[in-house]
Amino acid sequence: MKFAATLALAAAAFALASPASAQSFQKPEDAIKYRQGAFRVLGAHFGALGAMAQGKAPYDAQAAAHHADVIALVSHLPFTAFAAGTEKGENTHAKPEIWTEQAKFKENAEKMQDAVAKLAAAAKTGSVDNLKAAFGPAGQTCKACHDSYREKL
Amino acid sequence: MKFAATLALAAAAFALASPASAQSFQKPEDAIKYRQGAFRVLGAHFGALGAMAQGKAPYDAQAAAHHADVIALVSHLPFTAFAAGTEKGENTHAKPEIWTEQAKFKENAEKMQDAVAKLAAAAKTGSVDNLKAAFGPAGQTCKACHDSYREKL
């Protein structure tokens, strides 16, 4: 499981490095498409992991660790793309509260990043029970942010 | 630069681990949106890195290393989402040749993954000259695949 452990270190490093590495975009729609793309990747791996955690797909420890590590890494990407000026356009579902409650939005993002880091650690133990235990709390952090900051889809 | 070195190891590990961790999708449009999302993330970081390599943005060694590491990691994601049955729909720009020339398409993908791994190594030397030298060949691998396998946008 060296692969998984290495990625977990990388995810931790991402968290430390992200302030210096903020993404910038030429046009608002570039930022919107970027964050939607990153969330799309996040959601796909989260869905695949959730299927295993919920017994809807066969448990595969290596695949679970991979999904969780991708989630942990990508969890740090989309939040660089909510700059001022990117509130509208390009079919965004972002609510205005993201920009009027920036501290709270950031706190929600960090809760999710912490929860998915724990999920990645749980996934790489190779125990489906650990995966199940960490999946629910991680999913709750996704839902909390969607409920507050994303229009109903 | 421990952060960058760790991510580079992670990217290498991704390459080794990817066969066991293929993503599967419930609906063709999920696969299409996923690969488009991953390419969108890839393109944004490639664009940001290219601006530095081409002198259009100030060179920032730490940001360059971050962008290149994200590129190296994400370069392994989208190719799991070109399964049979995902040829059409959801505004895809994928050409049919992807499915009729699978070995060649895979070869193109691997050339890109190799080139961006080298780009990540170059970026973390902290030398803009090394970055410039590695950027062109990496960009060529993007272009080669777009020319052959993506409809003109």
Side-chain angles (χ1 to χ4, degrees):
Chain A
M1 300 300 281
K2 191 182 171 192
F3 143 70
T6 309
L7 269 184
L9 281 173
F14 247 69
L16 295 173
S18 48
S21 57
Q23 178 69 288
S24 65
F25 299 92
Q26 299 214 325
K27 292 175 290 183
E29 61 259 40
D30 292 343
I32 295 170
K33 284 182 181 174
Y34 173 87
R35 68 197 188 208
Q36 289 182 339
F39 281 126
R40 173 71 54 180
V41 171
L42 207 51
H45 288 275
F46 205 78
L49 193 59
M52 285 190 225
Q54 293 158 2
K56 294 174 189 167
Y59 174 62
D60 173 331
Q62 192 184 355
H66 172 78
H67 289 307
D69 280 328
V70 173
I71 292 164
L73 285 164
V74 176
S75 73
H76 292 279
L77 300 183
F79 302 100
T80 60
F82 288 96
T86 67
E87 294 89 339
K88 291 187 179 176
E90 198 62 41
N91 202 24
T92 182
H93 302 286
K95 284 189 182 174
E97 287 78 3
I98 289 173
W99 291 272
T100 56
E101 302 174 0
Q102 289 193 17
K104 203 174 148 213
F105 179 62
K106 185 169 183 285
E107 191 185 309
N108 271 262
E110 288 170 355
K111 277 186 189 170
M112 182 275 282
Q113 290 158 348
D114 288 348
V116 299
K118 286 176 187 159
L119 181 61
K124 69 179 53 71
T125 65
S127 151
V128 70
D129 290 332
N130 290 345
L131 178 68
K132 286 178 181 173
F135 187 79
Q140 280 303 314
T141 66
C142 301
K143 183 177 184 304
C145 212
H146 292 167
D147 287 350
S148 298
Y149 297 111
R150 187 177 71 170
E151 288 172 0
K152 289 208 187 311
L153 297 182
Chain B
M1 301 303 280
K2 190 182 171 192
F3 142 71
T6 308
L7 269 183
L9 282 172
F14 246 69
L16 295 172
S18 48
S21 58
Q23 180 67 290
S24 65
F25 299 92
Q26 298 214 325
K27 293 175 291 184
E29 61 258 42
D30 291 344
I32 295 170
K33 285 181 178 174
Y34 173 87
R35 68 198 189 208
Q36 289 182 340
F39 281 125
R40 173 70 56 180
V41 170
L42 207 52
H45 289 275
F46 205 78
L49 193 60
M52 287 191 225
Q54 293 158 2
K56 295 175 187 166
Y59 174 62
D60 174 331
Q62 192 184 355
H66 171 77
H67 289 307
D69 281 328
V70 173
I71 291 164
L73 284 165
V74 176
S75 73
H76 292 279
L77 299 183
F79 301 100
T80 59
F82 287 95
T86 67
E87 294 89 340
K88 292 189 177 176
E90 198 62 40
N91 201 24
T92 183
H93 302 285
K95 284 188 182 173
E97 286 79 3
I98 290 173
W99 291 272
T100 56
E101 301 174 0
Q102 288 193 18
K104 204 174 149 211
F105 179 62
K106 184 167 183 282
E107 191 186 309
N108 271 262
E110 288 170 355
K111 277 186 189 169
M112 184 274 283
Q113 290 159 347
D114 287 349
V116 299
K118 286 176 186 157
L119 181 61
K124 68 179 54 67
T125 63
S127 151
V128 71
D129 290 332
N130 289 345
L131 178 68
K132 286 176 183 174
F135 186 80
Q140 281 303 316
T141 65
C142 301
K143 185 177 183 303
C145 212
H146 293 166
D147 287 350
S148 298
Y149 298 111
R150 187 178 71 170
E151 288 172 0
K152 289 210 186 310
L153 297 181

